Amino acid sequence: MQRRGFALLPLVLAVLAVAEVALFVTVAHAIGGGWALLLLAAFSITGMALLRREGIRGWRAFRAAAESGRPPGPEVSNSLAGLGGALLLAMPGFLTAVIGLVLLLPPGRTLARRGIERFTERQVGAAVAGDFFGPRRVKVRRGEPVGDPVVVVPEQPDAVRAPAGAIEGEVIEGEVLR
């Protein structure tokens, strides 16, 4: 799956370049070429300044979480979203600048942070993600098991056999504490 993503990268970058040029021509036609270049320069300079600020803020938040014994994951994912937004803002182009601004604003940053957390959880597993991000919200279904029951050996927490199927019934929301 990841190889397919890397194989599509040249195509995505080519489409992005064409979209950026078309958007620049549109903006230059609307406000003038000089103003469009000045606006791009302002976006890039702002993005470079924000890169430094977001990096320092993310490092301080990570250290504070680690020193207080809290899971550092939320701070790291928030910092990654901010750094990504600042990097996109620093890149020359109106499309990347708009996406960068969306990632820097609180609603966009929250969505990006949740996406980063979900991606991390899929890559490293729920147990490691729970240690990294803290307790996770889960949905538990009450009812009769459709497949084999889950078997947990208390002396060996890693020795868990997963169920073969889903459990049918009502949904109960909760948190996994450990």
Side-chain angles (χ1 to χ4, degrees), residues 59-108:
W59 177 248
R60 286 182 181 153
F62 171 77
R63 282 188 26 193
E67 288 172 1
S68 68
R70 292 181 290 123
E75 284 80 8
V76 170
S77 60
N78 190 37
S79 177
L80 282 175
L83 284 170
L87 182 64
L88 287 172
L89 190 61
M91 291 175 60
F94 289 113
L95 184 61
T96 55
V98 168
I99 295 170
L101 284 173
V102 167
L103 286 176
L104 288 171
L105 296 175

Side-chain angles (χ1 to χ4, degrees), residues 25-170:
V25 169
T26 303
V27 171
H29 182 69
I31 66 172
W35 288 110
L37 284 174
L38 188 62
L39 192 57
L40 275 182
F43 281 148
S44 294
I45 291 169
T46 303
M48 287 184 230
L50 286 175
L51 267 173
R52 183 174 189 272
R53 186 190 79 161
E54 290 293 329
I56 291 170
R57 180 189 286 174
W59 177 248
R60 286 182 181 153
F62 171 77
R63 282 188 26 193
E67 288 172 1
S68 68
R70 292 181 290 123
E75 284 80 8
V76 170
S77 60
N78 190 37
S79 177
L80 282 175
L83 284 170
L87 182 64
L88 287 172
L89 190 61
M91 291 175 60
F94 289 113
L95 184 61
T96 55
V98 168
I99 295 170
L101 284 173
V102 167
L103 286 176
L104 288 171
L105 296 175
R109 185 178 281 213
T110 301
L111 287 174
R113 187 184 73 233
R114 288 181 185 156
I116 291 168
E117 289 177 6
R118 280 193 302 269
F119 175 79
T120 303
E121 190 171 316
R122 280 194 310 268
Q123 296 298 315
V124 300
V128 175
D131 288 341
F132 193 60
F133 294 112
R136 311 302 295 158
R137 294 199 58 81
V138 297
K139 290 185 179 180
V140 178
R141 298 182 188 273
R142 189 178 287 178
E144 293 299 317
V146 177
D148 295 334
V150 175
V151 178
V152 178
V153 180
E155 296 83 30
Q156 301 171 351
D158 295 332
V160 175
R161 190 167 52 106
I167 298 175
E168 296 176 359
E170 66 179 290

